[in-house]
Amino acid sequence: METNSIYPEGKLSAIYGSNVFGDTVMRERLPKAVYKSLKKTIDEGVPLEPNVAETVANAMKDWAISKGATHFTHWFQPMTGVTAEKHDSFISPTPEGKVIMEFSGKELLKGESDASSFPSGGLRATFEARGYTAWDCTSPAFVKDDSLYIPTAFCSYTGQALDKKTPLLRSMEALNTQALRILRLFGNTEAKRVSSNMGPEQEYFLVDKDTYSKRKDLIFTGRTLFGASAPKGQELDDHYYGNIKERVSNYMKELDTELWKLGISAKTKHNEVAPGQHELAPVFNSSNIATDHNQLTMEIMKKVALHHNLVCLLHEKPFAGVNGSGKHNNWSLSTDDGQNLLEPGKTPAENMQFLLFLSAVIQAVDEYGDLLLLSIASNSNDHRLGGDEAPPAIVSMYLGEQLTDILEEMVTGVEKHNQLGGKMKFGVSTLPVLKKDTTDRNRTSPFAFTANKFEFRMVGSLDSIACPNYMINTIVAESLRQIADELEQAKDFDEAVHETIKTIYQKHKRIVFNGNNYAEEWVEESKKRGLYSMRSTVDILPAFLEEKNLKLFEQHSVISRDEAYARYEVLTENYVKNMHIEAVTMYDMVSRQILPACLHYMKFLSEGIISLRETGLGIESKAEIDLLREITKCTDLLRERNDVLQKAVAEIGQMEDAYEKAKQYREKVYAAMQELREVADKLETLVDQKYWPIPTYSDLLYNV
Ligand code: ADP
Ligand code: MG
């Protein structure tokens, strides 16, 4: 049969995962005993047997060479938020002047790198520059750009984590330990492992590369620091799920293909709310693999865009006044025998195990909302939260009517007779009758229960999902620990479970909010309830060092005190550095692009006025004179405000303490930037577009 698809029959399944050293390849290429032993480590978390690595390394090398690889690299995730790699070739020269291809078990297991150029938050003095990477066999190796990539964890010479993966893996262990305790109490003797799962919905913008290249702000900061609104924004709601333009569609096709080759199950793609904005969602996976895959996805999104003369913007708020980009973090818990612990089933009211796990999450989110905020805080996400189509920076959770009613009933003993669920009719005989979900959607909630998982929507589009997920895992592990401690002592288990669910709900019901999180009233109401919120990253940074949080991390061995301090420092320094880059870019653009453009146009206007006078006809253009006056006034103000910004930055340069710097950037510099932008954007609407030196929002949002 003729087909227009680039995937004739069978081709897609043949390319899917073709560059991954996954289960099928391992089964084919490893001796049975080695395969079994490795599988046990991957699936059940038992320590790796010493002889396994040598055999696996050899098989990996042969397979990678068959895929065209010449090099291998340990691939890790330092605290920069992007991934790092250093490539070594497989070659080993022989005395005869030839080479053989070698890759040892030792090379697979351990890499050594000069760690001094990665952020460490003082965990590693420069004279102790050694850092190690260790093979993470739970995330499969893959071939990309002629190299074998080996996912690894990264730590310092003294064994402290210097990356985002290590705490995530530790948090998965903690969660597993505590969740299994609960399952055993319910009589489950089969499950060997509980793991957390993740499906990140990745939002992004595409802009034309030539247009992008003319904007220093996009190049240096990932967002527009200036720009008056385009005449048309997202008010017509005509972009969401809209039909996909050919250029974008070609991009998406190539992107899917590249992701599929790496075993990344890109599933859903659609246009998002803002013009130029799109989304890609994969099928969920274990948190660890999902995190690795998301890092790869972001990298490949950017690379593939260039093939189409596009640039992919992952910043949370590239454009003021239109929707920002997030990364909805769909989180759930499942057992190795395939049970989703957050599945309510047909009769959630009778599903005590489900209600208990649900309660654990309710308690965790209420008690550690500060850590959830911390996990998603960044300069870039600050611009998005509370803005168009983004949840506010107030922690609450949505359970939906049915579950809320069930919990209320348990507390009050009064039945609510919830009518949700059931069937839905369109009233047209040819259309099918549909089964309704038990919960409606609430798009505005930052932490929403959606059918059988939680969707944490505050996560920014640019960030690694490692941190939000190790935070969620850890706080839920702590809830489960408390619950298990109690239930293990209970005389009447069923009775005790019932009581626990009731007590938790009574104590923490303030965190449940099923209403509109975008409403003004919610801000007031949430304050009354005493919920965690933040105005900016600076507010929440100190939460890292709070005793209750340090204790939590320590208790579950997710991050040590030293590691927590280090992470706090890295976050604070990043905040300061990013703010600094933005401020400097801004005054550079004003001094060398916007101000000169205004002056040129003023000159043009003045010459016009003079030449009219010189005609001797006694006529003047009031429009020209008024415009010149207004532009002159605004340009003076522009210059003044640019000076204010420069001074504010210079003053902070003299300060020592990083947190104090961050605070000043937020208070003084940020305010100065907003004021500067305001007048520059005004000028954009006054100056002849021929004179305006940078592409406008219309150029950026509407020319792909
Ligand atoms: P939405 O309607 O919220 O936009 P999408 O289909 O775009 O939904 O994305 C939902 C995401 O949630 C997908 O990545 C999907 O794989 C993931 N997901 C579905 N079920 C689970 C689960 N049990 N645990 C974690 N993630 C899940
Ligand atoms: Mg979606």
Side-chain angles (χ1 to χ4, degrees):
M1 200 180 76
E2 288 276 320
T3 167
N4 291 326
S5 170
I6 56 169
Y7 302 115
E9 207 183 326
K11 175 119 183 268
L12 200 164
S13 47
I15 68 156
Y16 187 82
S18 56
N19 289 343
V20 183
F21 193 73
D23 195 60
T24 323
V25 187
M26 288 199 284
R27 205 190 292 254
E28 266 169 30
R29 290 183 174 253
L30 294 175
K32 222 178 194 154
V34 173
Y35 170 77
K36 265 194 169 158
S37 163
L38 180 61
K39 269 300 261 185
K40 239 177 140 60
T41 304
I42 296 172
D43 296 341
E44 296 166 33
V46 300
L48 205 64
E49 281 183 51
N51 57 338
V52 164
E54 201 57 53
T55 317
V56 176
N58 205 37
M60 252 186 201
K61 177 203 68 187
D62 291 343
W63 168 81
I65 289 172
S66 79
K67 294 277 163 193
T70 52
H71 289 67
F72 69 92
T73 177
H74 274 204
W75 182 66
F76 56 103
Q77 301 171 21
M79 292 187 270
T80 51
V82 289
T83 57
E85 51 197 70
K86 181 188 108 200
H87 303 255
D88 279 304
S89 71
F90 291 121
I91 63 163
S92 168
T94 64
E96 302 83 51
K98 299 227 155 109
V99 288
I100 50 165
M101 298 302 204
E102 276 186 345
F103 182 51
S104 68
K106 218 176 114 218
E107 285 170 309
L108 169 62
L109 283 174
K110 185 176 127 190
E112 206 194 307
S113 71
D114 178 359
S116 59
S117 302
F118 296 103
S120 73
L123 272 183
R124 191 217 53 241
T126 16
F127 58 89
E128 299 166 341
R130 224 188 270 273
Y132 294 111
T133 48
W135 178 34
D136 167 22
C137 67
T138 61
S139 180
F142 53 92
V143 166
K144 185 168 75 73
D145 307 326
D146 302 332
S147 271
L148 168 67
Y149 280 72
I150 300 149
T152 57
F154 178 45
C155 71
S156 72
Y157 186 66
T158 44
Q160 277 133 336
L162 292 177
D163 67 348
K164 304 214 167 202
K165 185 189 267 280
T166 307
L168 178 65
L169 291 172
R170 291 178 185 158
S171 75
M172 290 170 75
E173 291 282 343
L175 192 57
N176 170 53
T177 308
Q178 303 305 334
L180 279 179
R181 285 175 71 194
I182 304 280
L183 290 183
R184 297 290 180 257
L185 287 168
F186 276 96
N188 181 334
T189 51
E190 295 292 298
K192 293 201 189 80
R193 204 165 171 82
V194 172
S195 64
S196 57
N197 302 311
M198 246 303 295
E201 300 164 49
Q202 177 74 51
E203 292 179 334
Y204 61 98
F205 278 87
L206 290 176
V207 295
D208 181 76
K209 181 162 176 278
D210 298 338
T211 320
Y212 165 94
S213 307
K214 294 184 187 125
R215 296 219 36 155
K216 289 191 207 173
D217 48 2
L218 283 179
I219 293 171
F220 294 129
T221 75
R223 74 174 179 114
T224 55
L225 299 170
F226 302 99
S229 298
K232 177 175 185 283
Q234 61 194 47
E235 55 279 83
L236 295 179
D237 292 328
D238 54 353
H239 196 257
Y240 191 57
Y241 284 14
N243 113 4
I244 301 171
K245 285 185 192 152
E246 198 173 336
R247 188 169 171 198
V248 174
S249 167
N250 288 338
Y251 164 76
M252 288 175 165
K253 250 184 232 165
E254 189 184 338
L255 176 60
D256 279 341
T257 310
E258 290 308 311
L259 296 176
W260 288 336
K261 282 187 201 159
L262 292 173
I264 300 173
S265 49
K267 172 97 175 155
T268 308
K269 51 185 179 187
H270 59 81
N271 284 350
E272 259 300 330
V273 174
Q277 194 188 28
H278 314 278
E279 181 185 294
L280 178 144
V283 176
F284 68 97
N285 215 319
S286 99
S287 306
N288 182 35
I289 295 178
T291 302
D292 286 1
H293 281 180
N294 185 247
Q295 291 298 123
L296 279 172
T297 301
M298 291 194 285
E299 179 195 315
I300 292 169
M301 276 178 149
K302 288 198 232 158
K303 274 196 189 152
V304 170
L306 297 177
H307 301 168
H308 300 261
N309 203 37
L310 294 167
V311 173
C312 173
L313 303 178
L314 291 174
H315 192 286
E316 283 84 357
K317 197 76 176 177
F319 306 101
V322 296
N323 198 11
S325 298
K327 181 143 53 195
H328 294 173
N329 189 108
N330 292 275
W331 178 90
S332 69
L333 283 175
S334 67
T335 60
D336 56 339
D337 48 6
Q339 193 189 151
N340 176 354
L341 298 175
L342 292 176
E343 174 61 58
K346 286 209 176 87
T347 48
E350 291 152 30
N351 188 346
M352 286 301 131
Q353 184 186 297
F354 161 72
L355 289 174
L356 193 63
F357 276 100
L358 183 75
S359 305
V361 182
I362 295 175
Q363 172 173 302
V365 173
D366 190 31
E367 287 190 343
Y368 294 101
D370 51 345
L371 290 182
L372 290 180
L373 288 173
L374 186 63
S375 77
I376 53 88
S378 68
N379 322 50
S380 47
N381 209 15
D382 278 355
H383 296 289
R384 163 180 169 256
L385 294 175
D388 318 70
E389 293 279 330
I394 303 168
V395 183
S396 72
M397 68 199 285
Y398 170 83
L399 291 183
E401 238 178 282
Q402 190 191 28
L403 292 181
T404 311
D405 283 357
I406 290 171
L407 294 168
E408 287 286 341
E409 275 170 23
M410 285 178 77
V411 171
T412 59
V414 182
E415 259 191 71
K416 289 242 182 188
H417 297 293
N418 192 298
Q419 293 302 311
L420 285 166
K423 302 270 195 293
M424 197 196 55
K425 294 181 189 140
F426 284 95
V428 178
S429 62
T430 51
L431 293 177
V433 175
L434 304 181
K435 206 170 138 260
K436 280 206 276 191
D437 286 302
T438 47
T439 55
D440 193 6
R441 282 168 178 258
N442 178 324
R443 280 260 159 232
T444 69
S445 175
F447 204 96
F449 186 74
T450 45
N452 57 8
K453 59 184 162 64
F454 277 99
E455 192 169 335
F456 182 31
R457 302 203 180 107
M458 282 181 177
V459 184
S461 48
L462 187 60
D463 249 347
S464 156
I465 52 174
C467 184
N469 284 288
Y470 81 67
M471 292 290 188
I472 299 177
N473 289 348
T474 310
I475 66 180
V476 173
E478 171 56 14
S479 276
L480 294 172
R481 180 196 67 80
Q482 289 177 21
I483 294 170
D485 278 358
E486 240 172 68
L487 293 182
E488 279 167 0
Q489 306 304 321
K491 293 213 175 62
D492 181 337
F493 177 69
D494 291 346
E495 168 84 33
V497 169
H498 215 265
E499 272 313 301
T500 306
I501 296 170
K502 257 169 72 174
T503 316
I504 290 180
Y505 184 67
Q506 255 165 330
K507 191 164 165 210
H508 298 290
K509 63 187 275 188
R510 63 171 183 172
I511 196 73
V512 177
F513 179 59
N514 294 332
N516 178 7
N517 285 255
Y518 297 167
E520 295 272 335
E521 303 86 82
W522 174 234
V523 178
E524 283 315 306
E525 166 70 16
S526 66
K527 273 187 201 146
K528 278 190 212 137
R529 294 193 190 186
L531 302 183
Y532 283 111
S533 70
M534 63 176 187
R535 283 160 305 156
S536 81
T537 297
V538 175
D539 291 348
I540 205 70
L541 286 170
F544 230 136
L545 306 182
E546 264 183 43
E547 190 52 32
K548 84 169 173 67
N549 296 334
L550 292 172
K551 264 202 187 129
L552 167 85
F553 296 136
E554 221 170 23
Q555 173 148 30
H556 294 278
S557 306
V558 173
I559 26 186
S560 68
R561 271 169 199 259
D562 285 350
E563 288 169 346
Y565 274 101
R567 266 150 225 269
Y568 162 80
E569 264 185 39
V570 171
L571 271 180
T572 310
E573 276 170 15
N574 277 350
Y575 183 88
V576 168
K577 286 177 192 158
N578 285 324
M579 285 297 269
H580 182 78
I581 293 169
E582 286 202 347
V584 174
T585 305
M586 204 164 188
Y587 60 68
D588 178 76
M589 284 175 77
V590 168
S591 309
R592 303 197 310 137
Q593 291 186 289
I594 298 177
L595 188 65
C598 295
L599 295 176
H600 277 127
Y601 188 49
M602 279 159 62
K603 182 161 177 258
F604 169 81
L605 289 175
S606 348
E607 282 168 1
I609 293 166
I610 293 168
S611 57
L612 264 188
R613 282 200 189 129
E614 281 172 358
T615 59
L617 296 170
I619 48 168
E620 295 194 317
S621 161
K622 187 167 178 306
E624 204 161 31
I625 293 169
D626 285 353
L627 190 59
L628 178 60
R629 279 216 174 91
E630 194 174 1
I631 292 178
T632 308
K633 214 171 82 196
C634 289
T635 307
D636 284 348
L637 198 57
L638 183 78
R639 174 87 203 283
E640 228 171 79
R641 291 186 178 178
N642 207 31
D643 285 348
V644 172
L645 176 63
Q646 283 205 39
K647 280 207 190 87
V649 173
E651 271 167 30
I652 297 175
Q654 310 297 316
M655 300 171 66
E656 287 288 326
D657 182 74
Y659 185 70
E660 212 34 57
K661 279 189 184 176
K663 247 166 93 176
Q664 293 300 316
Y665 266 110
R666 175 66 196 181
E667 277 159 28
K668 299 229 172 84
V669 174
Y670 183 62
M673 284 170 66
Q674 277 178 308
E675 294 205 326
L676 182 58
R677 176 177 184 150
E678 185 193 37
V679 56
D681 290 357
K682 171 94 193 283
L683 279 162
E684 187 193 315
T685 65
L686 297 173
V687 171
D688 182 343
Q689 62 182 17
K690 284 200 303 252
Y691 284 78
W692 200 250
I694 52 177
T696 62
Y697 271 27
S698 306
D699 301 330
L700 286 162
L701 289 168
Y702 290 97
N703 79 350
V704 167

